[in-house]
Amino acid sequence: DLHTISYEQVGNPNGRPAVFLHGGPGVGISPGYRRFFDPDHYRVILPDQRGAGQSAPYAEFKDNTTWDLVDDLEELRRHLGIKDWVVMGGSWGSLLALCYAIEHPTSVAGLIIRGVFLGRQSEIEWLHEAGGASEIYPDEWAEYRKLPDKMGSASAVPAYLECLSSDDEATRIAAARAWRRWEGSMAAMATDEKTIVGMQDDWATLPIARIECSYTHNNFFLKSDNHVLENCHRIADIPCRIVQGRYDIICPAVSAWQVHKALPQSKLSIVQDGAHSPMDRGMAVELVNASEAFKSL
């Protein structure tokens, strides 16, 4: 009753259906995501997940969990009269794609996942506690820690969630900018200050920070810490392409490797000059290659 989901369709109305799952959660759809599919072959559906992009309410994390989004995808598939579709997702979108496939394997014709994230405690600690990404980006880590340190909080995520839930708009915006800066600084192989500042647009940053922080605080609402790997047997027969940047600091390559090993029929492409962003050339090329390969499905 609370949420309304916005989506767009591009490409061939009679083509092979494919759905693109954005990251975050909370990032929303951008026009560049259309580029990974041949519009003559594919009918591409790009939904804004709950609280993100054009979906409403804006930046809302109430009634917004992994399993709500899984249900939304299945409802959208039925609404559009689609038998099954190719599912592409990166970063958080890779976890959502995997969870959706595990719940609805017959709805998925093929999986393309990038910058694999499995929502495990170890991955959360890598990004949000000292001793992980902080060792590679100590300067940005110092900026990220300013808010928790000011609040006297040893853990960053609860401190940020408190500020992002504040009734004071200035408090929410300041926390959202700091949260977004931390992850944005690591997104691409080379990210300059101008690009980082550009990522901190208030309208786009608030839903990313609020929703992503809520999911992180709740361990992404998974049924167990290792939910995906424990259930890979349910999707073992689904064709799967994995694209992973060698230098992805946000989602290190070990998770992609473990999914690949749990799905012996999957194909893993490690991009030697790739990081986290799907828009870096090497990453984009491999994502297009994956969708091209799936034309035979």
Side-chain angles (χ1 to χ4, degrees), residues 7 181 238:
Y7 66 92
R181 181 184 179 94
I238 298 175

Side-chain angles (χ1 to χ4, degrees), residues 146-174:
K146 283 182 178 179
L147 185 150
D149 289 343
K150 183 178 180 180
M151 298 173 66
S153 176
S155 297
V157 175
Y160 273 94
L161 186 60
E162 180 179 337
C163 292
L164 290 164
S165 305
S166 171
D167 292 332
D168 179 67
E169 182 179 10
T171 299
R172 294 195 304 271
I173 293 296

Side-chain angles (χ1 to χ4, degrees), residues 98 110-113 238-242 259 263 265-267 294:
L98 289 162
L111 275 171
I112 302 171
I113 52 177
I238 298 175
C240 179
R241 296 287 183 116
I242 305 169
V259 171
L263 298 174
Q265 297 184 55
S266 64
K267 180 178 179 180
F294 277 2

